[in-house]
Amino acid sequence: NLQDMTFRAVEVLTSVQLILAEDTRTSGFLCQHYMINTPLQAYHKDNEQKAVENIIQRIKSGVEMARVSDAGTPAISDPGFLIVRECLKNNIEVECLPGATALVPALVNSGFPTDRFVFEGFLPHQKGRQKRLQALLDETRTIVFYESPYRIFKLLNELNQYFGEERKVSISRELTKKFEETFRGNVAEAIIHFTKKEPKGEFVIVVEGKN
């Protein structure tokens, strides 16, 4: 949602000399909306390993840069961690601006305890997936996953297998966008719900901790 932008974020993106964007087309739309004319450079999971050294050298030469994601906060299940780590290694100051991230509103909307929680993000597609779920079997804190519409059924069936059909979940999709929606119920009810209604958009699955 374009209205999730802060005044400070607009000010920073206007003042820097280069914006590292996950997708220059998406960020270009954002910049156009807020009349930001700063040049954009693609920086995403497929090129970050190769690009980071050159970026560090340019920052050292005096170029101020900002990093933006297509949606959410950089480095939270998005590219960004690597460049922060390398900047700190090179004594380059890093400033993180607060902004939109699907994790927090989904957690708050769930009605589950928020004082202590576990953020698992995206589970591995194949190798290590079952091991991660098994490690959470006795987790008493609220658990938060990210998932795509293509694997939401797989995750729900795994939750049914590992945590049981009565475990309560809160499933939010397209947070802060036009078609935002949250389903609340147990795992069995969630499977029925998304069998009847085709899953669309990006999902945040909040799971109640073990009693």
Side-chain angles (χ1 to χ4, degrees):
N1 191 321
L2 288 170
Q3 291 179 315
D4 289 336
M5 280 287 283
T6 66
F7 292 114
R8 185 180 172 203
V10 173
E11 183 180 285
V12 167
L13 293 179
T14 303
S15 66
V16 297
Q17 295 162 280
L18 182 67
I19 297 172
L20 302 175
E22 186 175 1
D23 187 320
T24 54
R25 295 165 297 180
T26 303
S27 296
F29 180 74
L30 175 75
C31 290
Q32 183 181 17
H33 181 83
Y34 285 103
M35 294 180 287
I36 298 167
N37 298 314
T38 307
L40 298 167
Q41 177 180 318
Y43 180 84
H44 45 73
K45 64 180 181 180
D46 295 325
N47 76 347
E48 63 175 339
Q49 294 283 348
K50 293 181 180 179
V52 70
E53 184 176 346
N54 177 260
I55 289 170
I56 294 297
Q57 294 306 316
R58 292 181 68 187
I59 296 173
K60 283 184 171 182
S61 73
V63 180
E64 287 193 325
M65 300 185 190
R67 167 79 179 106
V68 296
S69 297
D70 288 350
T73 298
I76 306 298
S77 292
D78 270 326
F81 154 73
L82 180 61
I83 196 169
V84 171
R85 185 182 67 182
E86 293 305 308
C87 281
L88 297 179
K89 281 183 180 179
N90 286 273
N91 297 314
I92 295 169
E93 183 179 352
V94 178
E95 185 177 7
C96 180
L97 276 62
T101 179
L103 160 65
V104 175
L107 178 63
V108 173
N109 279 340
S110 71
F112 301 146
T114 58
D115 54 335
R116 297 170 71 240
F117 64 91
V118 180
F119 177 60
E120 286 291 319
F122 289 97
L123 289 171
H125 294 177
Q126 299 294 337
K127 188 178 180 180
R129 189 179 178 94
Q130 292 184 350
K131 188 176 181 180
R132 286 267 293 274
L133 288 165
Q134 287 172 345
L136 295 168
L137 283 176
D138 295 319
E139 179 58 68
T140 58
R141 294 170 291 182
T142 303
I143 309 166
V144 184
F145 298 98
Y146 281 172
E147 195 52 274
S148 76
Y150 311 108
R151 286 182 294 275
I152 185 70
F153 276 117
K154 179 178 181 179
L155 179 57
L156 288 174
N157 283 309
E158 288 168 333
L159 295 180
N160 183 52
Q161 176 186 348
Y162 287 93
F163 301 154
E165 64 178 16
E166 293 300 321
R167 184 71 68 94
K168 292 180 181 177
V169 294
S170 176
I171 304 173
S172 299
R173 73 179 190 95
E174 296 294 273
L175 282 166
T176 83
K177 298 180 185 179
K178 183 178 180 180
F179 298 107
E180 176 181 337
E181 180 182 40
T182 296
F183 167 86
R184 299 176 183 88
N186 61 35
V187 172
E189 292 167 339
I191 292 172
I192 294 171
H193 174 81
F194 289 106
T195 299
K196 294 179 179 178
K197 186 171 185 178
E198 181 185 1
K200 294 180 179 179
E202 297 300 315
F203 287 85
V204 185
I205 299 91
V206 186
V207 183
E208 184 180 37
K210 183 179 179 180
N211 291 325

